[in-house]
Amino acid sequence: MNCIFCKIAAGEIPSDKVYEDDRLVAFNDINPQTRVHALVVPKEHIAGAAALTEDHAEIMGRLWTAIPKIAALLGVSEAFKVSVNSGADAGQTVFHLHFHLQSP
Ligand code: 5GP
Ligand code: ZN
């Protein structure tokens, strides 16, 4: 599949990774909008939040419970924001599910 985040997750395209485990990866956004701006991404391809089903309950739990760990690694435990853009009209430009994890 010609998906940039699949390739980053697989290590086929370089990225500035800040966290990785068996199911997910987090890396710094190439065009940060805030001082800290990372993307938290499942290794499996999911097109976006609108494509989520009950089958994704486990990976969604893994993603969300990794977020405070990643926030700690990035030094923003005291204050951070998490956002998802779903659909082109909402600003989604990469159609592989990702959470923006940002400093305020
Ligand atoms: P979206 O607009 O889909 O919510 O977010 C996509 C994000 O991915 C954008 O903030 C954009 O800067 C980032 N991005 C796009 N391509 C790359 C890339 O190749 N590497 C990294 N690290 N970030 C990327
Ligand atoms: Zn993908």
Side-chain angles (χ1 to χ4, degrees):
M1 184 178 302
N2 192 26
C3 170
I4 187 131
F5 285 179
C6 280
K7 289 178 180 169
I8 287 175
E12 293 166 11
I13 289 178
S15 69
D16 186 12
K17 282 185 188 167
V18 296
Y19 177 85
E20 182 170 13
D21 66 27
D22 59 321
R23 299 295 300 277
L24 61 110
V25 61
F27 50 90
N28 286 317
D29 196 294
I30 203 167
N31 182 25
Q33 301 300 304
T34 45
R35 182 180 62 79
V36 170
H37 187 172
L39 302 171
V40 183
V41 173
K43 289 187 172 178
E44 71 181 274
H45 183 83
I46 302 169
L52 291 168
T53 69
E54 285 291 328
D55 291 344
H56 299 113
E58 186 187 351
I59 184 61
M60 290 304 294
R62 289 288 301 271
L63 287 162
W64 262 110
T65 52
I67 282 172
K69 290 190 271 186
I70 299 163
L73 290 170
L74 294 171
V76 295
S77 292
E78 289 297 312
F80 62 86
K81 296 184 178 191
V82 177
S83 61
V84 178
N85 298 322
S86 178
D89 285 354
Q92 187 177 5
T93 58
V94 177
F95 286 80
H96 178 128
L97 180 66
H98 52 281
F99 294 86
H100 295 261
L101 171 55
Q102 296 179 259
S103 55

